[in-house]
């Protein structure tokens, strides 16, 4: 309900905007758009079809352009950049934080990248190059090298004087980092400690050195897990020699968590999380075809299984009526087990040490559900076709297929993981390939044995 | 790959722990467990089967018990609480933050709640009662009433003196909130501003009053969206009269985002995000049965459609072999559209103002994919069954079903949303009900018309 209310509000805004655009009154649109935060503008642009999207993009305050570009998916970003002059792009991105700029830079035309680099001072250019030297999806790529460091051998008053001279702090600075003369990371001092302790307090009494820093090679998933396990707002990034390289902040981590969730939800349907709602037809079509062809192959295997039993079906057409139910319910039951397993694997809760316990639990659940659902379906079939043999066959086949589905639901994702694939993406296709084929096989095979003796 | 590495690390820890538990050497287990953060211990407990779980829970440092309880799902929490004496529970939870305590309190036995309330001082008891007076999943329930407030008519030095007297600040305090004499929210002052400005700077020069506060009735989804749109670390919560009630911090928001993603992933398979991996068999079984029965009903409808064409299948058994392919590919194509729509709805990007544009795009994509996949399938069928009529029928039926699947993929979630249901949870069942039934209908119906004239 609350979700619906929020949706209503956004929907109302969208409708107002859409009406104003249709009528060509751009003044109100400009006013509405520029009351929004850059992330909200990004979301709005994603929800506009091409044509309207370019019009609204032209109305965004140029000061927000860079931040908006950071907050949209790759495909939409491409369409926005296509509508800008090189000069506009340079102006939009040159004031971004290093980590945001690093995120954008690969989508920019080469000539624009050169211009941006030229417009930066040497220190920032070197920082950008450093960040870009780390692989995507690692801590090195997420960090911002702009960090406030202090020494341990001073007191609070000295630090406060230094900060007042320095002026503004980088966004989300909740700690200062204490480093050695060689810039090795020693620990962190909370701003909260600086404002609650006397000026004469030595810094080394306020250092929190219990939190290990993040390794520059850590994956973004590892970074997200550590932030959420430890409730961090920011964390230092170091290299192998414990030299402080930069700082990761919670806003980037929130983006990772959101993207990961989208990646799993869309990836399970063979889509990319950067897919534009309004991407061009030929592009959307090409992308989806790959997945449909994989599914065509698995459907073909299942059809082949049915093909082996043409003779049986020919003698009892009711089998053709009922066989999709056995296959479909197996797929549903397997999907439930799969969903639990995929989450367990993502959270690191499932591994070889407990998978057999899980399998045993799921087999028992499946057996009980299979017997119960099988009995219900058997009774329905009895009432429908008045054929007790058919009723027994579907009871047995459904029980078999549910038990098999549970095994597949447990074993497929853990096997994919062991082979180095993402279980969230490919498990579903394998699962239905098995539950379809084996559902048809168990039902038609048993029918051949029992009914056509 | 990086994900696999992290998984390997966790898996190794789990295996070590599991081996140590098996051999009964509890010393190393205790040491390993107590190097972990409470959230990590919670994750570990979730990954242990009953029996081992209770043993490890008994080894956790009692000081961490409360935080661990906050970080596990409802079902696991229940199993942990069942292993504790009332005194232990009171000791574990009495030092928790008010917002965490409010989150736990409903899972506690009544006698324990009374004890906990008695052990609290009056101020905290009143705060807890206030938080509990707001509905679950609203800002009021998420907030912590422990907030540092200041007046606008003083300078930085006065504030610093006050903070030094006050001592420690609540976790994640990045701003002080400025209130009027009547405790109305006026704006916020960043700690960063306090440490970078001279002591003589008046506070009213440092106030940021541009960010509107969060309404105490706002849904948790709305709270999460605003935090991530505005990159907040903390935000003030006010009532209708703009009276400051408390503060929400980013760590709770990260939990909301994670839970929402899990809710959608598991909910789509008819599961609860609080489901324990190792929940008792009868409980897991009962919970899954509901969903399987719903699916049985939709499968039954599809079977009935096939039943109408028994005569047709009887004359050409190849139809039984091929009909699951038409239904299945329709389901796959529809699932892709659905995944995009569900995300678009969750982000507020899809609404009545653009749904027709989207539908039109998806119809064109589906038509092109349908023609292409249909042609491929038609050729396969021609090679397999040497029946040109059958080949034409499956071509036309697949094209129809893909176009229908796209319409269903767009219209089902938006209709569910309009009716007040969560489109992420129920859309899939309706979609496959339609793609199965209509896949069978279009294929068998066309076959009846074309092949049996």
């Amino acid at each position: 309900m609350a979700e619906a209310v929020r949706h209503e509000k956004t929907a109302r805004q969208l409708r107002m905007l859409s009406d104003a655009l249709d009528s060509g009154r751009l003044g109100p649109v400009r006013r509405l758009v520029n009351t929004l935060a850059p992330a909200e503008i990004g979301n709005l642009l994603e929800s506009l079809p091409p044509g309207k999207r370019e019009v609204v993009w032209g109305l965004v305050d140029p000061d927000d352009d860079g931040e908006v570009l950071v907050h949209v998916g790759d495909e939409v970003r491409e369409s926005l950049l296509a509508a800008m002059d090189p000069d506009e792009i340079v102006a939009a991105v040159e004031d971004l934080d290093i980590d945001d700029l690093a995120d954008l830079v690969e989508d920019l035309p080469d000539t624009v990248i050169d211009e941006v680099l030229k417009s930066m001072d040497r220190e920032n250019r070197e920082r950008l190059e450093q960040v870009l030297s780390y692989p995507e999806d690692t801590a090195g790529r997420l960090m911002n090298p702009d960090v406030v460091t202090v020494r341990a051998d001073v007191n609070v008053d000295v630090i406060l004087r230094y900060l007042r001279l320095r002026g503004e702090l980088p966004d989300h600075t909740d700690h200062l980092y204490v480093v050695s003369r060689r810039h090795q990371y020693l620990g962190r001092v909370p701003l909260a400690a600086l404002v609650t302790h006397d000026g004469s307090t030595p810094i080394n009494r306020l250092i929190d050195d219990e939190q290990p820093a993040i390794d520059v090679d850590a994956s973004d998933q590892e970074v997200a897990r550590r932030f959420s396990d430890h409730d961090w707002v920011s964390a230092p990034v170091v290299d192998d020699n414990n030299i402080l390289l930069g700082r990761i902040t919670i806003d980037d981590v929130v983006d990772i968590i959101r993207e990961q969730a989208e990646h799993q939800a869309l990836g399970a349907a063979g889509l990319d999380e950067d897919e534009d709602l309004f991407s061009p037809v030929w592009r959307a079509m090409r992308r989806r075809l790959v997945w449909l062809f994989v599914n065509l192959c698995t459907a073909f295997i299942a059809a082949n299984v049915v093909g082996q039993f043409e003779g049986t079906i020919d003698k009892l057409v009711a089998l053709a009526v009922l066989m999709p139910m056995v296959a479909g319910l197996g797929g549903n039951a397997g999907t439930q087990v799969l969903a639990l397993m995929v989450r367990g694997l993502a959270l690191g809760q499932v591994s070889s040490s407990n998978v057999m316990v899980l399998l045993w639990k799921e087999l028992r659940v499946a057996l009980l559900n299979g017997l119960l659902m099988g009995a219900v379906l058997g009774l329905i079939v009895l009432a429908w076709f008045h054929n007790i043999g058919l009723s027994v066959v579907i009871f047995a086949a459904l029980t078999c297929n549910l038990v098999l589905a549970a095994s597949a639901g447990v074993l497929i994702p853990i096997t994919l993981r062991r082979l180095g694939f993402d279980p969230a993406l490919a498990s579903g296709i394998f699962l239905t390939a098995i539950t379809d084929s084996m559902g048809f096989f168990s039902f038609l095979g048993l029918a051949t044995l029992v009914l056509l003796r």
Side-chain angles (χ1 to χ4, degrees), chain A residues 94-127:
Chain A
E94 62 186 357
D95 291 330
L96 287 174
D97 285 343
I98 298 291
D99 51 340
D100 289 336
L101 189 52
D103 188 27
L104 269 183
V105 88
E106 285 172 355
D107 291 333
L108 300 178
D110 285 346
T111 52
V112 172
I113 297 179
D114 288 345
E115 283 301 312
V116 173
L117 287 174
K118 260 189 255 168
S119 76
M120 295 169 84
D121 60 30
R122 198 174 126 233
E123 188 185 6
N124 274 327
R125 191 160 56 236
E126 283 174 5
R127 283 172 167 177

Side-chain angles (χ1 to χ4, degrees), chain A residues 108-224:
Chain A
L108 300 178
D110 285 346
T111 52
V112 172
I113 297 179
D114 288 345
E115 283 301 312
V116 173
L117 287 174
K118 260 189 255 168
S119 76
M120 295 169 84
D121 60 30
R122 198 174 126 233
E123 188 185 6
N124 274 327
R125 191 160 56 236
E126 283 174 5
R127 283 172 167 177
L128 178 63
E129 280 160 3
Q130 188 199 0
V131 168
L132 287 174
S133 71
Y134 297 104
E136 248 187 299
D137 303 329
T138 64
R141 220 29 171 332
L142 289 168
M143 72 184 181
N144 190 330
D146 191 7
V147 175
V148 185
T149 56
V150 296
R151 290 286 163 75
D153 54 2
V154 293
N155 66 20
V156 168
D157 267 341
V158 172
I159 299 291
L160 286 179
R161 269 203 304 278
Y162 162 67
L163 293 177
R164 283 167 187 165
L165 273 174
R166 189 188 190 284
E168 220 171 307
L169 301 181
D171 282 350
H172 299 308
T173 297
D174 61 332
H175 290 85
L176 308 180
Y177 296 143
V178 183
V179 293
S180 71
R181 203 169 293 270
R182 290 175 44 223
H183 215 65
Q184 283 173 310
Y185 176 71
L186 299 177
R188 47 184 211 167
V189 176
L191 287 193
L194 291 184
V195 297
T196 52
H197 285 82
D198 270 339
S200 58
T201 315
I203 287 298
N204 59 27
R205 261 192 46 211
L206 304 179
I207 295 181
D208 162 17
D209 56 3
E210 288 201 356
Q211 294 293 8
I214 291 177
D215 192 87
V216 70
D217 299 321
S219 74
D220 55 358
Q221 296 307 311
E222 168 76 12
V223 170

Side-chain angles (χ1 to χ4, degrees), chain A residues 296-346:
Chain A
L296 179 64
C297 296
T298 67
F300 194 68
I301 296 170
N304 249 300
V305 172
V306 179
Q308 304 305 312
F309 296 98
E310 273 192 64
T312 308
I313 297 172
D314 205 13
K315 291 188 187 99
L316 186 63
V317 178
L319 295 175
V321 177
L322 298 172
M323 64 181 197
M325 296 185 84
V326 178
L329 283 170
N332 287 323
T335 302
Q336 293 193 305
V337 179
L338 198 62
L340 269 187
M341 280 292 292
V342 165
R343 177 180 68 160
L345 283 168

Side-chain angles (χ1 to χ4, degrees), chain A residues 221 260 264 341-352 355 410-427 430:
Chain A
Q221 296 307 311
Q260 177 67 4
Q264 294 194 350
M341 280 292 292
V342 165
R343 177 180 68 160
L345 283 168
L347 297 176
Q349 290 174 351
V350 175
S351 67
S352 51
V355 74
V410 172
L411 298 176
I412 289 173
I414 203 154
T415 308
L416 285 175
R417 165 60 61 87
R418 205 163 298 170
L419 298 176
F421 298 104
D422 181 352
L425 305 191
S427 295
F430 287 103

Side-chain angles (χ1 to χ4, degrees), chain A residues 269-280:
Chain A
L271 295 171
D272 191 288
E273 71 271 24
D274 280 312
E275 170 133 353
D276 176 0
L277 262 180
F278 297 99
S279 60

Side-chain angles (χ1 to χ4, degrees), chain A residues 371-409:
Chain A
L371 292 172
L372 197 66
M373 300 286 295
V376 171
L377 194 51
L379 288 176
I380 293 175
V381 166
L382 191 61
W384 191 356
F385 295 97
H386 310 291
N387 180 337
I388 187 131
L390 188 59
S391 173
V392 170
V393 165
I394 205 165
F395 165 75
L398 189 66
T399 307
C400 286
N401 203 27
L402 255 54
V403 169
L404 193 84
S407 324

